[in-house]
Amino acid sequence: MPQATATVADPAGDSSSDRTGPSGAGSDFAPLLRAVKGQGLLERRTGRYALSIAANLVALGGVITAFVLLGDTWRSLFLALPLAVLWTRTAFVAHDAGHSQISGGRKANRLIGLVHGNLLLGMNEAWWNDKHVRHHANPNHVDKDPDVGVGALVWTQKQAAQREGFARWLTRNQARLFFPMLLLEGIALKIYGFQYLRRQPTGERTVSAVLMTAHLALYTTLLLTTLSPGKAVVFALLLHALFGLHLGMAFAPNHKGMEMPDPDGDRWGHLQRQVLTSRNVRGAILTDWFLGGLNYQIEHHLFPSMPRPHLRLAQPLVKAHCRSIGMPYAETGLVESYRQALAHMHEVGEPLR
């Protein structure tokens, strides 16, 4: 979604996206696509989303009301945790809108994304969608996926070898610093969003800027009219730290430590490209809730426009199909998923230690 007006490329309408599977003999994805379509799993769940969005907005309103009623007290800091959790639920809605999971209409999805991303979170949904569409198209590809590009962290030993100074020290210790660094992610998301404004067309830039500025103005006004300046700063820092940590913990298990396609190797088909680079996280209702349903990451990558409530229903079909063609299907527990991701980051920094 370079300008938040297009959806992440979804092969559901075009089985030619996997003309040659891993065996090179025709499409391995087409039979799975037919099975998923046959069970209606690509159909929208607009009513379900409407109830979920309404419940989240009511909960946000309840926490904000409690915050105002408590007034200028350090006890207000306890509300940072539920508010951070609800902000993460809000981010999940914006994510789904970017994938056109909520409505069949592009304008409706865009509006939902703008409200939940720009206005409620102060995060530029156009920036997120631009980054996310490139990730979905080529997950874990070092030349094409921005999520494994060189940044504060690096993901290959080749990237690590080029680090200098403080960045070199950071890479040596990136595994142990990963979770502490997530505490800064909530603030970083806002900064990235404002930086992206210059890349947007004038009309979209204005809308994005107005909504993000409105978020900052309303948020700052709420804090400073309820708390003293010192308490307001502490609350804001704590809220953004918890939000960044929760959001990062939801996305970290998905791809880190999984296969990384060789940029100079054969081009993978859609099924191979999405399954081999993704990891599912096992768990019950609590895990599904904590990770926003994105613990079914393989299914999400195969069918990005599939409504999130349908991902768990599609899993048995995907697992059975992968088993039938001999393709590995990675699935692990939540703690083990973090261990594998951190082990990969530790291995990348090994030559620098």
Side-chain angles (χ1 to χ4, degrees):
M1 276 163 269
Q3 304 302 337
T5 57
T7 58
V8 172
D10 192 340
D14 181 11
S15 61
S16 66
S17 62
D18 191 11
R19 293 185 180 88
T20 58
S23 64
S27 172
D28 284 329
F29 179 65
L32 177 60
L33 175 60
R34 287 194 295 268
V36 167
K37 280 186 173 180
Q39 294 201 13
L41 297 179
L42 295 177
E43 296 176 4
R44 301 291 187 275
R45 293 291 300 276
T46 305
R48 168 78 174 266
Y49 271 109
L51 290 174
S52 177
I53 289 172
N56 188 63
L57 292 176
V58 169
L60 280 170
V63 173
I64 292 172
T65 300
F67 178 77
V68 173
L69 292 177
L70 273 177
D72 188 15
T73 171
W74 287 108
R75 292 195 300 272
S76 296
L77 295 181
F78 288 106
L79 293 177
L81 178 58
L83 190 54
V85 170
L86 292 172
W87 268 18
T88 305
R89 306 299 110 186
T90 302
F92 289 151
V93 173
H95 166 271
D96 293 359
H99 282 293
S100 293
Q101 294 177 13
I102 300 175
S103 169
R106 180 177 296 179
K107 290 183 179 180
N109 284 306
R110 174 93 198 285
L111 178 61
I112 294 170
L114 285 170
V115 170
H116 285 78
N118 296 51
L119 181 60
L120 294 180
L121 296 177
M123 191 175 97
N124 193 338
E125 53 90 44
W127 163 77
W128 170 263
N129 288 338
D130 172 63
K131 173 176 174 288
H132 204 54
V133 70
R134 289 183 283 136
H135 160 69
H136 264 266
N138 293 281
N140 271 12
H141 192 296
V142 292
D143 292 337
K144 299 178 180 179
D145 182 358
D147 287 356
V148 292
V150 175
L153 305 174
V154 294
W155 309 103
T156 69
Q157 292 188 351
K158 182 179 179 181
Q159 292 173 336
Q162 300 171 0
R163 304 286 261 182
E164 300 289 345
F166 175 73
R168 191 176 181 86
W169 175 87
L170 191 64
T171 299
R172 283 202 304 268
N173 300 281
Q174 64 180 10
R176 71 184 67 176
L177 293 174
F178 176 68
F179 285 110
M181 289 174 67
L182 287 181
L183 299 174
L184 302 174
E185 188 66 15
I187 296 175
L189 292 173
K190 285 182 166 61
I191 295 173
Y192 297 147
F194 276 101
Q195 290 175 338
Y196 188 78
L197 287 172
R198 67 174 67 97
R199 296 179 54 187
Q200 295 180 252
T202 303
E204 292 184 6
R205 181 192 310 140
T206 301
V207 173
S208 295
V210 166
L211 290 176
M212 289 192 294
T213 302
H215 165 85
L216 289 178
L218 293 171
Y219 178 64
T220 303
T221 300
L222 174 66
L223 291 183
L224 293 180
T225 56
T226 305
L227 302 176
S228 65
K231 293 189 185 75
V233 170
V234 173
F235 184 91
L237 291 175
L238 179 60
L239 171 59
H240 283 82
L242 293 173
F243 171 58
L245 181 64
H246 186 4
L247 198 61
M249 291 179 71
F251 283 93
N254 298 340
H255 303 281
K256 308 311 179 192
M258 294 303 296
E259 290 275 359
M260 300 185 73
D262 182 356
D264 301 318
D266 295 335
R267 188 177 186 276
W268 290 0
H270 177 70
L271 189 73
Q272 185 180 23
R273 185 167 60 248
Q274 305 300 344
V275 174
L276 297 185
T277 60
S278 302
R279 176 194 295 114
N280 274 21
V281 178
R282 286 190 299 267
I285 295 175
L286 184 59
T287 303
D288 287 4
W289 174 85
F290 179 72
L291 299 180
L294 295 177
N295 46 312
Y296 303 102
Q297 188 67 194
I298 293 174
E299 289 70 30
H300 172 56
H301 262 256
L302 287 172
F303 306 99
S305 67
M306 179 182 288
R308 221 171 350 121
H310 287 173
L311 294 175
R312 66 180 181 84
L313 302 177
Q315 185 186 38
L317 295 174
V318 176
K319 289 180 72 172
H321 182 70
C322 289
R323 186 166 53 247
S324 71
I325 63 174
M327 180 173 289
Y329 181 99
E331 187 177 28
T332 185
L334 181 60
V335 174
E336 176 61 16
S337 72
Y338 293 135
R339 189 200 68 78
Q340 291 181 12
L342 293 176
H344 173 72
M345 285 185 270
H346 183 77
E347 180 182 350
V348 167
E350 181 66 31
L352 305 185
R353 287 191 290 275

PDB file of all heavy atoms in Angstrom, residues 309-331:
ATOM      1  N   PRO A 309     -10.327 -13.669  12.201  1.00  0.00           N
ATOM      2  CA  PRO A 309     -11.020 -14.770  12.889  1.00  0.00           C
ATOM      3  C   PRO A 309     -11.024 -16.087  12.106  1.00  0.00           C
ATOM      4  O   PRO A 309     -11.286 -17.140  12.688  1.00  0.00           O
ATOM      5  CB  PRO A 309     -12.450 -14.228  13.050  1.00  0.00           C
ATOM      6  CG  PRO A 309     -12.318 -12.754  12.970  1.00  0.00           C
ATOM      7  CD  PRO A 309     -11.207 -12.500  12.013  1.00  0.00           C
ATOM      8  N   HIS A 310     -10.744 -16.037  10.815  1.00  0.00           N
ATOM      9  CA  HIS A 310     -10.763 -17.247  10.000  1.00  0.00           C
ATOM     10  C   HIS A 310      -9.408 -17.948   9.928  1.00  0.00           C
ATOM     11  O   HIS A 310      -9.326 -19.074   9.429  1.00  0.00           O
ATOM     12  CB  HIS A 310     -11.216 -16.918   8.573  1.00  0.00           C
ATOM     13  CG  HIS A 310     -12.670 -16.626   8.462  1.00  0.00           C
ATOM     14  ND1 HIS A 310     -13.251 -16.178   7.286  1.00  0.00           N
ATOM     15  CD2 HIS A 310     -13.679 -16.705   9.367  1.00  0.00           C
ATOM     16  CE1 HIS A 310     -14.545 -15.995   7.472  1.00  0.00           C
ATOM     17  NE2 HIS A 310     -14.825 -16.297   8.729  1.00  0.00           N
ATOM     18  N   LEU A 311      -8.361 -17.305  10.414  1.00  0.00           N
ATOM     19  CA  LEU A 311      -7.026 -17.876  10.257  1.00  0.00           C
ATOM     20  C   LEU A 311      -6.906 -19.230  10.957  1.00  0.00           C
ATOM     21  O   LEU A 311      -6.332 -20.178  10.420  1.00  0.00           O
ATOM     22  CB  LEU A 311      -5.970 -16.905  10.786  1.00  0.00           C
ATOM     23  CG  LEU A 311      -5.825 -15.593  10.013  1.00  0.00           C
ATOM     24  CD1 LEU A 311      -4.819 -14.668  10.715  1.00  0.00           C
ATOM     25  CD2 LEU A 311      -5.381 -15.843   8.577  1.00  0.00           C
ATOM     26  N   ARG A 312      -7.433 -19.325  12.163  1.00  0.00           N
ATOM     27  CA  ARG A 312      -7.343 -20.598  12.882  1.00  0.00           C
ATOM     28  C   ARG A 312      -8.163 -21.681  12.212  1.00  0.00           C
ATOM     29  O   ARG A 312      -7.848 -22.869  12.314  1.00  0.00           O
ATOM     30  CB  ARG A 312      -7.783 -20.416  14.341  1.00  0.00           C
ATOM     31  CG  ARG A 312      -9.253 -20.056  14.516  1.00  0.00           C
ATOM     32  CD  ARG A 312      -9.601 -19.890  15.988  1.00  0.00           C
ATOM     33  NE  ARG A 312     -11.018 -19.566  16.173  1.00  0.00           N
ATOM     34  CZ  ARG A 312     -11.986 -20.468  16.218  1.00  0.00           C
ATOM     35  NH1 ARG A 312     -11.690 -21.761  16.094  1.00  0.00           N
ATOM     36  NH2 ARG A 312     -13.243 -20.108  16.380  1.00  0.00           N
ATOM     37  N   LEU A 313      -9.229 -21.280  11.494  1.00  0.00           N
ATOM     38  CA  LEU A 313     -10.053 -22.252  10.784  1.00  0.00           C
ATOM     39  C   LEU A 313      -9.349 -22.762   9.534  1.00  0.00           C
ATOM     40  O   LEU A 313      -9.564 -23.899   9.106  1.00  0.00           O
ATOM     41  CB  LEU A 313     -11.399 -21.624  10.404  1.00  0.00           C
ATOM     42  CG  LEU A 313     -12.237 -21.068  11.558  1.00  0.00           C
ATOM     43  CD1 LEU A 313     -13.520 -20.417  11.027  1.00  0.00           C
ATOM     44  CD2 LEU A 313     -12.574 -22.165  12.568  1.00  0.00           C
ATOM     45  N   ALA A 314      -8.503 -21.912   8.971  1.00  0.00           N
ATOM     46  CA  ALA A 314      -7.765 -22.313   7.770  1.00  0.00           C
ATOM     47  C   ALA A 314      -6.547 -23.166   8.110  1.00  0.00           C
ATOM     48  O   ALA A 314      -6.034 -23.885   7.247  1.00  0.00           O
ATOM     49  CB  ALA A 314      -7.321 -21.068   6.994  1.00  0.00           C
ATOM     50  N   GLN A 315      -6.089 -23.113   9.351  1.00  0.00           N
ATOM     51  CA  GLN A 315      -4.859 -23.808   9.705  1.00  0.00           C
ATOM     52  C   GLN A 315      -4.881 -25.304   9.391  1.00  0.00           C
ATOM     53  O   GLN A 315      -3.907 -25.822   8.822  1.00  0.00           O
ATOM     54  CB  GLN A 315      -4.527 -23.585  11.182  1.00  0.00           C
ATOM     55  CG  GLN A 315      -3.185 -24.193  11.574  1.00  0.00           C
ATOM     56  CD  GLN A 315      -2.917 -24.113  13.055  1.00  0.00           C
ATOM     57  OE1 GLN A 315      -3.822 -24.278  13.870  1.00  0.00           O
ATOM     58  NE2 GLN A 315      -1.670 -23.855  13.416  1.00  0.00           N
ATOM     59  N   PRO A 316      -5.928 -26.058   9.755  1.00  0.00           N
ATOM     60  CA  PRO A 316      -5.908 -27.495   9.438  1.00  0.00           C
ATOM     61  C   PRO A 316      -5.755 -27.772   7.943  1.00  0.00           C
ATOM     62  O   PRO A 316      -5.074 -28.731   7.551  1.00  0.00           O
ATOM     63  CB  PRO A 316      -7.264 -27.994   9.963  1.00  0.00           C
ATOM     64  CG  PRO A 316      -7.655 -27.005  11.008  1.00  0.00           C
ATOM     65  CD  PRO A 316      -7.136 -25.688  10.520  1.00  0.00           C
ATOM     66  N   LEU A 317      -6.372 -26.938   7.107  1.00  0.00           N
ATOM     67  CA  LEU A 317      -6.259 -27.125   5.665  1.00  0.00           C
ATOM     68  C   LEU A 317      -4.823 -26.892   5.202  1.00  0.00           C
ATOM     69  O   LEU A 317      -4.284 -27.638   4.382  1.00  0.00           O
ATOM     70  CB  LEU A 317      -7.202 -26.162   4.935  1.00  0.00           C
ATOM     71  CG  LEU A 317      -8.702 -26.355   5.153  1.00  0.00           C
ATOM     72  CD1 LEU A 317      -9.473 -25.238   4.469  1.00  0.00           C
ATOM     73  CD2 LEU A 317      -9.157 -27.707   4.636  1.00  0.00           C
ATOM     74  N   VAL A 318      -4.205 -25.835   5.738  1.00  0.00           N
ATOM     75  CA  VAL A 318      -2.845 -25.494   5.328  1.00  0.00           C
ATOM     76  C   VAL A 318      -1.858 -26.552   5.808  1.00  0.00           C
ATOM     77  O   VAL A 318      -0.986 -26.991   5.058  1.00  0.00           O
ATOM     78  CB  VAL A 318      -2.457 -24.102   5.865  1.00  0.00           C
ATOM     79  CG1 VAL A 318      -1.003 -23.785   5.531  1.00  0.00           C
ATOM     80  CG2 VAL A 318      -3.376 -23.030   5.281  1.00  0.00           C
ATOM     81  N   LYS A 319      -2.007 -26.994   7.057  1.00  0.00           N
ATOM     82  CA  LYS A 319      -1.103 -28.009   7.591  1.00  0.00           C
ATOM     83  C   LYS A 319      -1.202 -29.307   6.796  1.00  0.00           C
ATOM     84  O   LYS A 319      -0.181 -29.937   6.470  1.00  0.00           O
ATOM     85  CB  LYS A 319      -1.411 -28.271   9.066  1.00  0.00           C
ATOM     86  CG  LYS A 319      -1.024 -27.147   9.993  1.00  0.00           C
ATOM     87  CD  LYS A 319      -1.346 -27.474  11.441  1.00  0.00           C
ATOM     88  CE  LYS A 319      -0.409 -28.511  12.000  1.00  0.00           C
ATOM     89  NZ  LYS A 319      -0.614 -28.684  13.469  1.00  0.00           N
ATOM     90  N   ALA A 320      -2.425 -29.701   6.495  1.00  0.00           N
ATOM     91  CA  ALA A 320      -2.623 -30.943   5.744  1.00  0.00           C
ATOM     92  C   ALA A 320      -2.038 -30.830   4.345  1.00  0.00           C
ATOM     93  O   ALA A 320      -1.432 -31.776   3.826  1.00  0.00           O
ATOM     94  CB  ALA A 320      -4.113 -31.280   5.680  1.00  0.00           C
ATOM     95  N   HIS A 321      -2.205 -29.667   3.713  1.00  0.00           N
ATOM     96  CA  HIS A 321      -1.678 -29.475   2.359  1.00  0.00           C
ATOM     97  C   HIS A 321      -0.154 -29.505   2.372  1.00  0.00           C
ATOM     98  O   HIS A 321       0.468 -30.136   1.502  1.00  0.00           O
ATOM     99  CB  HIS A 321      -2.178 -28.155   1.794  1.00  0.00           C
ATOM    100  CG  HIS A 321      -1.735 -27.892   0.392  1.00  0.00           C
ATOM    101  ND1 HIS A 321      -2.205 -28.600  -0.689  1.00  0.00           N
ATOM    102  CD2 HIS A 321      -0.821 -27.008  -0.117  1.00  0.00           C
ATOM    103  CE1 HIS A 321      -1.623 -28.160  -1.795  1.00  0.00           C
ATOM    104  NE2 HIS A 321      -0.780 -27.198  -1.465  1.00  0.00           N
ATOM    105  N   CYS A 322       0.456 -28.821   3.337  1.00  0.00           N
ATOM    106  CA  CYS A 322       1.917 -28.829   3.421  1.00  0.00           C
ATOM    107  C   CYS A 322       2.438 -30.246   3.660  1.00  0.00           C
ATOM    108  O   CYS A 322       3.452 -30.663   3.065  1.00  0.00           O
ATOM    109  CB  CYS A 322       2.384 -27.895   4.540  1.00  0.00           C
ATOM    110  SG  CYS A 322       2.172 -26.141   4.174  1.00  0.00           S
ATOM    111  N   ARG A 323       1.747 -30.979   4.511  1.00  0.00           N
ATOM    112  CA  ARG A 323       2.158 -32.358   4.782  1.00  0.00           C
ATOM    113  C   ARG A 323       2.060 -33.212   3.522  1.00  0.00           C
ATOM    114  O   ARG A 323       2.923 -34.052   3.244  1.00  0.00           O
ATOM    115  CB  ARG A 323       1.289 -32.942   5.901  1.00  0.00           C
ATOM    116  CG  ARG A 323       1.720 -34.330   6.374  1.00  0.00           C
ATOM    117  CD  ARG A 323       1.052 -34.712   7.681  1.00  0.00           C
ATOM    118  NE  ARG A 323      -0.404 -34.577   7.612  1.00  0.00           N
ATOM    119  CZ  ARG A 323      -1.109 -33.694   8.297  1.00  0.00           C
ATOM    120  NH1 ARG A 323      -0.489 -32.821   9.086  1.00  0.00           N
ATOM    121  NH2 ARG A 323      -2.421 -33.631   8.190  1.00  0.00           N
ATOM    122  N   SER A 324       1.022 -32.975   2.727  1.00  0.00           N
ATOM    123  CA  SER A 324       0.809 -33.801   1.527  1.00  0.00           C
ATOM    124  C   SER A 324       1.868 -33.581   0.462  1.00  0.00           C
ATOM    125  O   SER A 324       2.132 -34.467  -0.347  1.00  0.00           O
ATOM    126  CB  SER A 324      -0.580 -33.522   0.942  1.00  0.00           C
ATOM    127  OG  SER A 324      -0.631 -32.227   0.350  1.00  0.00           O
ATOM    128  N   ILE A 325       2.485 -32.399   0.444  1.00  0.00           N
ATOM    129  CA  ILE A 325       3.501 -32.127  -0.572  1.00  0.00           C
ATOM    130  C   ILE A 325       4.910 -32.141   0.025  1.00  0.00           C
ATOM    131  O   ILE A 325       5.887 -31.800  -0.650  1.00  0.00           O
ATOM    132  CB  ILE A 325       3.254 -30.773  -1.274  1.00  0.00           C
ATOM    133  CG1 ILE A 325       3.351 -29.609  -0.286  1.00  0.00           C
ATOM    134  CG2 ILE A 325       1.904 -30.773  -1.983  1.00  0.00           C
ATOM    135  CD1 ILE A 325       3.270 -28.241  -0.954  1.00  0.00           C
ATOM    136  N   GLY A 326       5.000 -32.501   1.321  1.00  0.00           N
ATOM    137  CA  GLY A 326       6.306 -32.613   1.950  1.00  0.00           C
ATOM    138  C   GLY A 326       6.981 -31.299   2.264  1.00  0.00           C
ATOM    139  O   GLY A 326       8.210 -31.222   2.318  1.00  0.00           O
ATOM    140  N   MET A 327       6.187 -30.256   2.499  1.00  0.00           N
ATOM    141  CA  MET A 327       6.762 -28.943   2.821  1.00  0.00           C
ATOM    142  C   MET A 327       6.761 -28.746   4.334  1.00  0.00           C
ATOM    143  O   MET A 327       5.737 -28.960   4.985  1.00  0.00           O
ATOM    144  CB  MET A 327       5.969 -27.824   2.144  1.00  0.00           C
ATOM    145  CG  MET A 327       6.519 -26.431   2.453  1.00  0.00           C
ATOM    146  SD  MET A 327       5.692 -25.133   1.496  1.00  0.00           S
ATOM    147  CE  MET A 327       6.340 -25.477  -0.144  1.00  0.00           C
ATOM    148  N   PRO A 328       7.886 -28.328   4.929  1.00  0.00           N
ATOM    149  CA  PRO A 328       7.937 -28.079   6.377  1.00  0.00           C
ATOM    150  C   PRO A 328       6.927 -27.010   6.789  1.00  0.00           C
ATOM    151  O   PRO A 328       6.700 -26.042   6.068  1.00  0.00           O
ATOM    152  CB  PRO A 328       9.372 -27.595   6.601  1.00  0.00           C
ATOM    153  CG  PRO A 328      10.147 -28.113   5.440  1.00  0.00           C
ATOM    154  CD  PRO A 328       9.192 -28.107   4.277  1.00  0.00           C
ATOM    155  N   TYR A 329       6.337 -27.209   7.954  1.00  0.00           N
ATOM    156  CA  TYR A 329       5.362 -26.267   8.508  1.00  0.00           C
ATOM    157  C   TYR A 329       5.807 -25.979   9.941  1.00  0.00           C
ATOM    158  O   TYR A 329       5.706 -26.842  10.807  1.00  0.00           O
ATOM    159  CB  TYR A 329       3.965 -26.885   8.475  1.00  0.00           C
ATOM    160  CG  TYR A 329       2.843 -26.013   8.994  1.00  0.00           C
ATOM    161  CD1 TYR A 329       2.020 -25.306   8.119  1.00  0.00           C
ATOM    162  CD2 TYR A 329       2.576 -25.920  10.367  1.00  0.00           C
ATOM    163  CE1 TYR A 329       0.971 -24.523   8.601  1.00  0.00           C
ATOM    164  CE2 TYR A 329       1.542 -25.135  10.846  1.00  0.00           C
ATOM    165  CZ  TYR A 329       0.746 -24.444   9.960  1.00  0.00           C
ATOM    166  OH  TYR A 329      -0.292 -23.671  10.434  1.00  0.00           O
ATOM    167  N   ALA A 330       6.349 -24.794  10.180  1.00  0.00           N
ATOM    168  CA  ALA A 330       6.941 -24.466  11.475  1.00  0.00           C
ATOM    169  C   ALA A 330       5.876 -23.999  12.457  1.00  0.00           C
ATOM    170  O   ALA A 330       5.128 -23.052  12.186  1.00  0.00           O
ATOM    171  CB  ALA A 330       8.005 -23.385  11.305  1.00  0.00           C
ATOM    172  N   GLU A 331       5.844 -24.651  13.603  1.00  0.00           N
ATOM    173  CA  GLU A 331       4.906 -24.276  14.655  1.00  0.00           C
ATOM    174  C   GLU A 331       5.550 -24.593  15.993  1.00  0.00           C
ATOM    175  O   GLU A 331       6.107 -25.670  16.195  1.00  0.00           O
ATOM    176  CB  GLU A 331       3.597 -25.045  14.494  1.00  0.00           C
ATOM    177  CG  GLU A 331       2.504 -24.605  15.436  1.00  0.00           C
ATOM    178  CD  GLU A 331       1.202 -25.352  15.202  1.00  0.00           C
ATOM    179  OE1 GLU A 331       1.250 -26.506  14.732  1.00  0.00           O
ATOM    180  OE2 GLU A 331       0.135 -24.788  15.493  1.00  0.00           O
TER     181      GLU A 331
END
